[in-house]
Amino acid sequence: MMGMIKIQSDQGFMDRLSHVNWGLVFLILLVSSIGFTALYSAAGGSFTPWASRQMMRFVIGLIGMFIIALVDIRWWFKLAWPIYFAGFVLLVIVEIMGQVGMGAQRWINLGFMQLQPSELMKIAVVMALARYFHAATLDDMRRLTFLVIPALVILAPVALVMLQPDLGTSLMILFAGAAMLFIAGASIRLFIGGVALAVASVPIGWHFLHDYQKRRVMTFLDPESDPLGAGYHITQSKIALGSGGIKGKGFLDGSQSHLNFLPEKQTDFIFTLWAEEWGFLGGMFLLVLFGFMFMYGPWIAMRARHNFGRYLAMGLSVNFSLYVFINISMVMGLIPVVGAPLPLISYGGTAMLAALIGFGLMMSAHVYRDSKMTRI
Amino acid sequence: MNRDTQSAKVFSRRIFIIGALQAGTLAILGGRLAWLQIANGRRYKMLSDKNRINVKMLAPSRGLIVDRFGVPLAVNNQNFRVLIIPEQAEDMERSLRTLQKFIELDDKKIEQVLARAKKTAKFVPVEIKDELTWEEVSKIEVNLPELPGLSIDVGEVRSYPAGSSTAHIIGYVGLPAEADLDGDPVLTLPGFKIGKTGIERSYDEQMRGRAGAAQVEVNVVGREVRELNVQESVQGQRVVLSIDAQLQNMMQERLAQEKSASAVVMDAHSGAIYGLASYPGFDPNLFTHTMSAEQWEALLANPAHPLTNKAIAGQYPPASTFKMITALAGMRAGKITAERTVYCPGFYEYGDNRFHCWKKGGHGTVNVVGALMHSCDTYFYELATEIGIDRLAQTARELGLGQKLDFELNEERPGLVPDKSWKMGQFADVWHPGETIVASIGQGYLQATPLQLAVMTARFVNGGYAVKPWVTGYVGGRSYSKETWPKMSIDPYHLSVIKEGMDKVVNDKEGTAYGSRIEQAGYGMGGKTGTAQVTRISMEQRAAGVLNEDLPWTQRHHGLFVGYAPLENPRYVTAVVVEHGGGGSAVAAPLAKDILLKTQQRNPAATNIKTGFST
């Protein structure tokens, strides 16, 4: 905390404001609006119960995003480890509550929304690792001992989340952590070895999977074998998606979604609803918007003058693109069903908050890209 | 600095790699999207339509059957049913028990419904009770909130307002049997009934109508959300009969005064059937609902055969009503003229056999008119031996006996007119002259139905046209009625002689049916009596003084009468048979009198069959 007193902004407020990535803000607004539209349709042409709530949370989140973006990146640098440990504690609390409760426990009820610590953990891991690797040199990256701490930083929350049980999120934390290692320059051989290890451990890991998780994988491999049971969601999603054709069925006219053939249409399968109603044109439009949003990560990273900013921006960008990829490929039947929301679009408080926080941090890395940061 | 540049290079490269991966994932997603929506879009569209659209068949309404004046004889009544849909009732048994408070419903029925519900999908309705009264429907509707899962359904049930009086003509409907499934999809509708007997059967295909279809949007549990396209069903065609329902009713009531009888009233010129009654009848409404086993057994066991239409299926020896044919055959063969006489001492001897006349003392000298009037057997015995069976059979057939008459009801029987080749084929035996004698007075192998006797009478009095009977006026808009018939090659003089005889049977005080003459001014009747032996009374019985009335019912004679009205230019003919009723003049003639009087009073021939119905 030694450098705290010394942090001073070298830019005026208006300067900083102008350096906010307004392009990214615009994209966020556009994509979220698509989200509200889809939720409006999901509710059968009504703002309640989903669209209105999501809009409220969005406004709160947006304010938060701007605040975060305008906070000096050096603060975030300082708070990286405390945030990580706070998140870790929340995870432990959830775990304890889970033992007391029954089975899957992922949320803490805050009254106005459910808080899902595992979502926030993804950001915290990226921040902590960005901080850790900020001071690292190439030589450091080559030393295996140097990588022990990062490994723990990644694996500890992964283990906790897996116990929830939430295989999907734990894998995503793992993947985000691995991406951070990659960005920071860890040896390629490490990754090859890691992949080999992963492949080898599949048969062992299979053993530890819960029944429903096993079923999900089997169903993924052959959804048609059980069209009314486990394969139902995938099959229905593909039918709904495919039947949208090029131009879509029209706003509010997504028959599959509205006749309840498509389950979870406001959360996991929201993309299907959008693509059913707006067709290929609507679906590609959204994908292209996401594409532009992805590009901001590398763009901001390349312009940052300090490692922390670079790593933070890339790590959060990977996070975001991972979510998008997993959710959309799931609803299109490319990967097994995992409960992964589509950020900024799926109904859900924590996912939206996490996305906006992430973007806020990325923008902070851009606004303060020229800040001089100490090595430690 | 070297390190910095190097690390910067590494970093840039890796960022680039990640950026490329991100772009790559989007490309994959875009590609997959295109695969689903463009390449396979049509296939998925079809699947999504199959998901959500069910085609529901709409049952068509059955065509009506009415009489010549439009009086309804077979109609469709609304049938209210109460159904339960399992998925809409949280606790089915509770709903059913609550229902017991409002309508009559026994526990066994509740069990049946619950068992049935288990076997079908949860959204398929199960029928609890049908034929609800309006009161029951109201009670259920008012209390629906307390009866979750229940709903009222309106269907149609066939009803016969005329009941048993037209049962044999109209027939009834029932569920199709295996053999009836002709591929018409409408037969797959649950509870759809088709014609089983009578007119219901003869024109079943035309009366069925065409099913409609409704495309119904269903959600994932199969519940109907809304109707998309509806193609209305088309009601079956209406059948208009030539029957006069009021006359028919009167005939059935009059016949009911006997134990077992049948009667026909026909138009002598056109062949239109105004009445076709057979007693005892049955209530066809029993057949459209469930009949108890006892009721069915009772119908089958009744010795008077209520299920049989005796007017067209009852085959009886025509007895003395055949004598006109013998007379005509004789005149055509040139064997007799109006003047030739025969002496009747009360019997006729041929070879070693003695054939008795019904009048013990005989009739004395009679000519053909007198022989008909008195119904003298001896005259015809003698005539027969001169004509021979083959010529007799030929004339009989020309007058409509011994064959089916293309009547619309398939119960029609052909009767029997024997001849030499028939006997050879049937018994491998030659024809004996004695059998001709017996045949000459309508006994022996001869058999005729009341319908055939009516046709025979008509051909005698309508100027010699080969009229045939029919009962269908219109099916839909198409006319089935016939008005003209080919002329037969019969000398009109012969016909007039025979008619004179028949006139006198009823209107001359020595006629066998004088007691049944019509006295009301403006109306009249002519005809011929007949008494058909069922069992031969043996010589011993005769000697012992055994009379017909002493025999058990099933062995007593049948009473017959054929008649026509009015006397001049007859329009209507009738044939009446009273089974085991005794003498024709005693039993059948009075019946015929009442019938022909009523017929003339109603005069159905004066009005054309009604067409141009609105539906």
Side-chain angles (χ1 to χ4, degrees):
Chain A
M1 297 292 152
M2 276 180 54
M4 236 168 84
I5 319 161
K6 282 193 193 150
I7 295 174
Q8 261 168 42
S9 285
D10 354 325
Q11 317 170 62
F13 181 72
M14 289 315 291
D15 271 332
R16 281 179 283 153
L17 207 56
S18 68
H19 284 130
V20 164
N21 310 81
W22 290 105
L24 184 57
V25 173
F26 173 71
L27 284 167
I28 289 172
L29 285 170
L30 198 52
V31 169
S32 303
S33 306
I34 287 178
F36 303 142
T37 312
L39 287 175
Y40 180 81
S41 171
S46 154
F47 281 108
T48 55
W50 296 309
S52 53
R53 281 206 204 131
Q54 189 86 330
M55 279 155 54
M56 278 191 325
R57 283 183 221 151
F58 178 71
V59 168
I60 296 172
L62 200 64
I63 295 172
M65 181 182 88
F66 274 112
I67 294 175
I68 292 171
L70 293 170
V71 164
D72 197 318
I73 190 97
R74 287 169 284 194
W75 277 109
W76 301 120
F77 185 79
K78 300 270 182 218
L79 291 170
W81 284 115
I83 288 174
Y84 176 82
F85 283 113
F88 195 81
V89 165
L90 280 178
L91 272 182
V92 171
I93 291 177
V94 160
E95 192 50 41
I96 295 174
M97 280 170 61
Q99 302 287 16
V100 169
M102 29 159 200
Q105 187 70 23
R106 301 176 192 185
W107 303 290
I108 297 176
N109 198 333
L110 288 183
F112 63 91
M113 64 172 244
Q114 308 270 47
L115 184 69
Q116 202 172 347
S118 47
E119 294 286 331
L120 300 174
M121 208 53 201
K122 274 180 271 185
I123 301 176
V125 164
V126 167
M127 284 179 82
L129 287 176
R131 160 92 198 240
Y132 184 81
F133 288 127
H134 169 81
T137 62
L138 268 181
D139 290 328
D140 288 328
M141 293 304 295
R142 293 221 174 90
R143 275 186 294 131
L144 269 175
T145 46
F146 187 69
L147 298 176
V148 167
I149 294 184
L152 285 174
V153 164
I154 298 171
L155 291 172
V158 164
L160 274 179
V161 170
M162 258 217 262
L163 287 174
Q164 277 185 351
D166 188 348
L167 185 62
T169 312
S170 62
L171 283 177
M172 282 175 78
I173 297 177
L174 190 62
F175 195 88
M180 290 299 289
L181 281 170
F182 181 76
I183 293 165
S187 160
I188 298 284
R189 270 175 279 165
L190 203 64
F191 290 97
I192 295 173
V195 166
L197 194 67
V199 169
S201 63
V202 158
I204 307 169
W206 182 259
H207 201 64
F208 283 103
L209 282 181
H210 288 237
D211 273 338
Y212 80 90
Q213 290 165 327
K214 283 188 195 167
R215 245 185 295 127
R216 275 194 181 162
V217 177
M218 294 315 293
T219 311
F220 160 71
L221 293 172
D222 187 11
E224 316 291 318
S225 64
D226 188 6
L228 291 179
Y232 184 71
H233 290 196
I234 307 250
T235 315
Q236 289 303 326
S237 182
K238 286 193 332 202
I239 291 178
L241 255 171
S243 64
I246 295 183
K247 288 198 283 192
K249 289 195 183 147
F251 184 48
L252 299 178
D253 282 336
S255 57
Q256 300 306 292
S257 317
H258 289 298
L259 293 174
N260 287 334
F261 284 105
L262 189 67
E264 302 288 331
K265 56 186 185 285
Q266 78 276 16
T267 53
D268 291 354
F269 287 90
I270 191 86
F271 181 78
T272 306
L273 174 65
W274 174 256
E276 185 188 9
E277 297 197 344
W278 299 91
F280 182 73
L281 295 175
M284 276 313 287
F285 180 64
L286 186 58
L287 286 178
V288 163
L289 289 180
F290 278 133
F292 282 131
M293 289 170 85
F294 292 173
M295 273 166 41
Y296 270 94
W299 195 82
I300 293 175
M302 290 303 289
R303 274 160 189 66
R305 292 270 226 94
H306 40 86
N307 280 341
F308 181 66
R310 292 188 193 124
Y311 298 155
L312 194 62
M314 279 313 292
L316 292 168
S317 178
V318 166
N319 239 358
F320 183 71
S321 48
L322 201 61
Y323 259 118
V324 169
F325 178 71
I326 287 180
N327 176 282
I328 297 183
S329 47
M330 170 189 70
V331 308
M332 294 206 284
L334 286 170
I335 62 171
V337 172
V338 289
L342 188 60
L344 298 181
I345 301 199
S346 281
Y347 178 73
T350 318
M352 163 158 283
L353 216 58
L356 291 172
I357 291 174
F359 284 120
L361 288 168
M362 276 171 68
M363 289 195 243
S364 172
H366 185 257
V367 169
Y368 294 99
R369 60 192 177 286
D370 290 326
S371 296
K372 289 197 174 50
M373 289 224 276
T374 60
R375 286 246 137 189
I376 305 167
Chain B
M1 290 302 124
N2 214 4
R3 288 265 169 78
D4 274 346
T5 5
Q6 202 183 18
S7 80
K9 258 203 214 148
V10 169
F11 181 67
S12 318
R13 204 179 335 134
R14 296 212 172 174
I15 289 194
F16 179 75
I17 291 174
I18 292 197
L21 281 173
Q22 286 174 321
T25 61
L26 278 181
I28 293 175
L29 294 179
R32 176 71 169 179
L33 195 67
W35 169 253
L36 287 174
Q37 292 189 311
I38 299 178
N40 285 302
R42 201 172 300 150
R43 177 174 145 243
Y44 283 118
K45 177 90 177 53
M46 193 177 70
L47 284 175
S48 84
D49 279 342
K50 257 168 65 169
N51 255 353
R52 61 179 259 259
I53 296 179
N54 269 351
V55 179
K56 191 171 69 158
M57 219 189 326
L58 302 174
S61 200
R62 195 170 172 83
L64 305 185
I65 304 177
V66 299
D67 88 340
R68 65 186 298 110
F69 298 114
V71 172
L73 299 175
V75 296
N76 305 309
N77 278 347
Q78 276 185 324
N79 178 26
F80 291 104
R81 312 191 284 171
V82 58
L83 311 166
I84 186 166
I85 299 179
E87 66 155 5
Q88 290 179 12
E90 280 151 21
D91 182 350
M92 283 210 292
E93 187 161 352
R94 196 152 133 249
S95 295
L96 291 169
R97 296 268 167 221
T98 317
L99 186 62
Q100 272 183 321
K101 289 197 281 179
F102 306 120
I103 66 169
E104 237 186 81
L105 185 66
D106 55 42
D107 293 339
K108 182 145 172 267
K109 190 69 188 161
I110 293 186
E111 271 168 42
Q112 282 176 347
V113 170
L114 290 173
R116 181 86 189 281
K118 281 208 189 92
K119 290 196 222 144
T120 55
K122 291 209 298 215
F123 54 84
V124 171
V126 177
E127 185 184 295
I128 303 172
K129 191 174 176 196
D130 75 341
E131 290 174 50
L132 299 174
T133 64
W134 188 239
E135 208 188 298
E136 289 173 316
V137 169
S138 314
K139 274 198 209 154
I140 295 173
E141 292 269 353
V142 155
N143 290 292
L144 268 183
E146 288 171 57
L147 300 163
L150 266 62
S151 62
I152 298 282
D153 176 72
V154 179
E156 282 190 341
V157 77
R158 196 69 156 168
S159 173
Y160 302 103
S164 62
S165 75
T166 49
H168 292 113
I169 305 172
I170 306 286
Y172 50 83
V173 293
L175 295 171
E178 197 75 45
D180 297 319
L181 296 175
D182 58 11
D184 187 349
V186 87
L187 294 179
T188 58
L189 286 166
F192 190 82
K193 300 207 170 100
I194 61 169
K196 291 279 174 178
T197 68
I199 293 287
E200 289 275 31
R201 183 186 163 148
S202 306
Y203 299 105
D204 180 64
E205 226 184 280
Q206 292 97 322
M207 286 198 283
R208 258 187 224 172
R210 254 199 340 266
Q215 277 189 331
V216 181
E217 190 173 46
V218 295
N219 73 0
V220 70
V221 290
R223 192 171 327 150
E224 291 180 12
V225 170
R226 59 184 172 149
E227 276 184 353
L228 294 171
N229 286 321
V230 177
Q231 199 185 350
E232 295 294 345
S233 61
V234 176
Q235 183 173 19
Q237 292 174 34
R238 175 184 296 240
V239 174
V240 185
L241 301 176
S242 59
I243 301 284
D244 173 6
Q246 271 202 293
L247 176 64
Q248 177 81 14
N249 270 339
M250 175 264 166
M251 283 165 72
Q252 190 80 8
E253 274 173 26
R254 183 65 182 84
L255 290 177
Q257 290 169 13
E258 303 297 329
K259 264 216 188 101
S260 172
S262 56
V264 179
V265 173
M266 188 177 94
D267 189 301
H269 294 282
S270 69
I273 298 283
Y274 298 118
L276 189 80
S278 174
Y279 179 82
F282 61 93
D283 183 4
N285 290 304
L286 282 179
F287 284 82
T288 55
H289 314 141
T290 17
M291 206 189 322
S292 74
E294 293 90 39
Q295 288 169 314
W296 179 243
E297 294 299 317
L299 284 172
L300 287 177
N302 190 332
H305 306 297
L307 294 172
T308 311
N309 185 346
K310 296 193 276 277
I312 61 178
Q315 296 177 117
Y316 311 100
S320 301
T321 60
F322 190 77
K323 286 174 179 167
M324 287 83 79
I325 291 186
T326 314
L328 180 63
M331 283 194 271
R332 286 167 122 195
K335 301 296 176 184
I336 53 165
T337 60
E339 289 77 30
R340 172 171 166 189
T341 60
V342 165
Y343 180 73
C344 167
F347 56 86
Y348 176 75
E349 274 175 339
Y350 185 84
D352 297 328
N353 297 309
R354 175 178 279 207
F355 296 91
H356 292 270
C357 184
W358 67 265
K359 191 166 181 192
K360 263 214 178 118
H363 294 98
T365 310
V366 284
N367 63 4
V368 65
V369 168
L372 285 173
M373 182 174 72
H374 291 114
S375 198
C376 172
D377 299 325
T378 311
Y379 184 94
F380 295 100
Y381 287 154
E382 174 146 346
L383 191 55
T385 55
E386 296 175 30
I387 305 171
I389 186 64
D390 283 347
R391 274 193 285 208
L392 199 56
Q394 187 195 356
T395 302
R397 291 192 187 118
E398 263 183 71
L399 272 283
L401 298 186
Q403 67 212 269
K404 280 196 183 176
L405 298 164
D406 297 327
F407 194 54
E408 295 96 319
L409 301 177
N410 73 341
E411 241 188 313
E412 183 194 9
R413 308 294 302 129
L416 184 75
V417 169
D419 59 14
K420 291 190 177 141
S421 58
W422 170 84
K423 183 149 187 242
M424 185 56 74
Q426 189 76 8
F427 297 109
D429 189 13
V430 296
W431 183 268
H432 302 298
E435 293 172 319
T436 313
I437 293 175
V438 165
S440 72
I441 59 157
Q443 298 275 172
Y445 301 114
L446 274 166
Q447 300 223 299
T449 64
L451 184 68
Q452 287 173 322
L453 293 176
V455 168
M456 173 192 82
T457 313
R459 293 185 181 187
F460 271 119
V461 303
N462 68 6
Y465 288 91
V467 68
K468 275 178 161 177
W470 51 270
V471 77
T472 315
Y474 288 88
V475 175
R478 191 171 149 214
S479 169
Y480 277 59
S481 47
K482 305 172 195 65
E483 300 293 326
T484 54
W485 301 95
K487 198 157 195 309
M488 303 186 289
S489 48
I490 303 180
D491 191 338
Y493 173 66
H494 296 158
L495 291 178
S496 68
V497 167
I498 290 172
K499 179 156 183 301
E500 194 189 328
M502 291 203 282
D503 284 350
K504 289 194 165 157
V505 166
V506 179
N507 299 293
D508 187 309
K509 61 181 179 332
E510 291 187 37
T512 54
Y514 184 64
S516 298
R517 71 196 178 284
I518 292 180
E519 287 171 311
Q520 280 90 328
Y523 303 116
M525 174 176 95
K528 184 71 189 75
T529 57
T531 307
Q533 259 184 288
V534 174
T535 336
R536 248 192 108 187
I537 296 183
S538 69
M539 299 255 279
E540 291 81 21
Q541 285 173 311
R542 204 185 284 269
V546 170
L547 295 170
N548 187 36
E549 296 80 58
D550 305 321
L551 295 169
W553 186 73
T554 51
Q555 291 179 32
R556 295 190 206 165
H557 303 330
H558 300 312
L560 299 99
F561 188 83
V562 295
Y564 52 86
L567 273 180
E568 296 302 316
N569 300 316
R571 184 83 219 180
Y572 304 106
V573 290
T574 188
V576 175
V577 174
V578 180
E579 277 190 358
H580 311 296
S585 58
V587 188
L591 235 155
K593 167 199 175 180
D594 292 341
I595 289 177
L596 279 181
L597 178 61
K598 182 78 177 182
T599 308
Q600 289 173 89
Q601 285 167 338
R602 283 202 52 84
N603 201 15
T607 350
N608 281 333
I609 295 179
K610 184 171 177 192
T611 65
F613 291 96
S614 52
T615 45

